[in-house]
Amino acid sequence: MTVSLEQLRRCHIAVDLGAARTRVFVKGAGLVVDEPSAAAVNTRTGALIAVGQFAEQMTGRTPGYIRVVRPVSGGTVVDIEMAQRMLRHLLGEKLRRALRRKPRLRAAACTPHDADPLAQRAAIETMVGLGARRVELVDTLIAAAVGCGLPVERPEATMILVCGAATTQVAVLSMGSIVTAERIPVGGEAIDHAIVQHLRHQHELMLPSQSVRPLQLALSGNGLTPHGPESTEIHGRDVATGLARSVHVDTAAVRDAIHTPLTAVLDGIGKVLRDCPPDLVADLADRGIMMVGGSARLPGLDQMLRDATGMPVQIAERPDVCAVLGLGAMLEGKTQPLVLDPLSA
């Protein structure tokens, strides 16, 4: 792990800043914040108008002087000041006042695998802006594995696939550490973009707002699985006339459209397996892959991975909050470290 469990037990708050959603876990209180990573700003005055779900609903529906920004991209904070302001408003005055009473506030934050020093520094600066005197960084892969109940501390292989909005991370874990991992710049947003382009080119249809996830529209009724409906009705705007129009989209064609970005995920899994020691790959043949992250619920993705790898694939019980719950388990001391006793003479 990036830090020891003893250091994490001293932390008071855990934050998972994702490209799609921000989640905050407070020791003793549990998960207190689970909101979209969005903020609406008045460009004339610089005032913050809304954050979280309300700001997400304002996307594409605001006048020109109101701009909806996302301070996190690909798991990395790209606007530190805006991220601090967003977090302060999401926490609320009552919770911030309780945290300020801590004499030496400690915070833990998730960082993507192989995050560069600038990305780590941005995460630390964001937490320091909330009043943290010390910040511990934990790899998202480790936190998500702990959150979904994988036995990461044992000397046996476990494989985890973190399906985020902007990136997908895959890793093989053993003895509490990452054996081999790969970060793929393809996530739920790339799949959404593929569906949007398919509707535009094949049906000359534009979706009404960027705030409406096109993936959810196209997948209504489990449309992308072979056992789902053959067609799905989608409402949008005609490219040529600008008038509202509805079309019946063939779900098989949509399934083919999203296959291209998902191929990169399969390539990343293959690379991790090729770099993994043979003994651990033998363990994975029985244990399979655990999928976490908000995009893990894409209908048909787990079956596609089963067909491509020949290994069992499972989706975590609460895939979207596994990382922050894993951090919370470390904070509250629910995770026991692997103890290696030295051999006596």
Side-chain angles (χ1 to χ4, degrees):
M1 296 184 184
T2 309
V3 294
S4 67
L5 289 175
E6 185 62 31
Q7 291 173 320
L8 286 172
R9 289 194 185 103
R10 299 174 184 173
C11 294
H12 306 94
I13 184 174
V15 179
D16 178 18
L17 278 171
R21 300 186 74 86
T22 295
R23 300 175 177 92
V24 180
F25 185 99
V26 176
K27 183 186 290 187
L31 186 63
V32 296
V33 173
D34 186 3
E35 294 280 344
S37 302
V41 183
N42 187 329
T43 57
R44 295 175 180 173
T45 63
L48 200 61
I49 298 175
V51 295
Q53 186 65 41
F54 189 29
E56 180 85 2
Q57 295 173 356
M58 294 170 65
T59 305
R61 298 183 174 91
T62 60
Y65 65 92
I66 297 179
R67 186 165 58 98
V68 178
V69 298
R70 294 185 176 273
V72 185
S73 176
T76 301
V77 179
V78 294
D79 190 339
I80 297 175
E81 181 184 358
M82 187 55 64
Q84 292 174 350
R85 296 174 66 185
M86 181 186 72
L87 274 174
R88 281 196 289 265
H89 282 78
L90 287 177
L91 287 173
E93 182 61 32
K94 182 179 179 180
L95 186 54
R96 291 207 317 271
R97 193 182 304 116
L99 292 175
R100 281 198 297 265
R101 296 194 190 104
K102 307 290 183 182
R104 289 187 59 85
L105 180 64
R106 290 178 175 235
C110 288
T111 55
H113 179 67
D114 284 344
D116 56 69
L118 287 177
Q120 296 179 3
R121 187 66 184 174
I124 293 174
E125 289 293 335
T126 303
M127 297 297 102
V128 170
L130 294 178
R133 298 294 185 89
R134 184 181 176 93
V135 181
E136 310 291 353
L137 300 181
V138 181
D139 198 305
T140 303
L141 294 166
I142 297 289
V146 173
C148 63
L150 290 178
V152 294
E153 73 280 357
R154 298 180 185 174
E156 52 193 31
T158 54
M159 192 170 191
I160 186 167
L161 185 72
V162 181
C163 306
T167 60
T168 299
Q169 304 174 67
V170 56
V172 175
L173 311 175
S174 180
M175 297 182 64
S177 300
I178 297 175
V179 179
T180 177
E182 187 73 15
R183 189 178 174 190
I184 308 150
V186 172
E189 294 175 354
I191 297 173
D192 291 352
H193 182 71
I195 295 177
V196 169
Q197 293 302 312
H198 171 77
L199 295 176
R200 185 181 181 93
H201 294 155
Q202 299 298 325
H203 301 278
E204 296 185 350
L205 190 76
M206 292 183 62
L207 294 180
S209 172
Q210 293 297 325
S211 64
V212 180
R213 283 182 60 85
L215 189 59
Q216 297 176 354
L217 294 176
L219 299 183
S220 58
N222 252 7
L224 287 189
T225 61
H227 306 290
E230 295 182 356
S231 62
T232 302
E233 185 177 7
I234 294 181
H235 307 279
R237 188 184 71 185
D238 191 277
V239 173
T241 63
L243 300 176
R245 184 163 62 92
S246 300
V247 297
H248 287 273
V249 179
D250 185 10
T251 53
V254 178
R255 187 164 59 241
D256 294 339
I258 69 172
H259 187 73
T260 300
L262 292 180
T263 303
V265 177
L266 296 178
D267 293 341
I269 294 175
K271 185 178 185 304
V272 168
L273 292 176
R274 287 192 298 270
D275 296 339
C276 189
D279 292 340
L280 294 181
V281 176
D283 293 344
L284 295 175
D286 299 327
R287 296 183 174 275
I289 305 173
M290 177 66 74
M291 295 176 59
V292 301
S295 300
R297 290 173 173 163
L298 173 65
L301 178 58
D302 54 342
Q303 186 60 46
M304 188 189 73
L305 293 178
R306 290 190 193 99
D307 297 338
T309 62
M311 295 189 300
V313 178
Q314 299 178 353
I315 301 177
E317 184 177 353
R318 299 178 65 185
D320 50 345
V321 295
C322 279
V324 71
L325 291 182
L327 270 182
M330 296 178 192
L331 263 61
E332 296 181 340
K334 297 180 180 178
T335 303
Q336 298 299 324
L338 176 66
V339 179
L340 297 178
D341 295 327
L343 297 177
S344 57

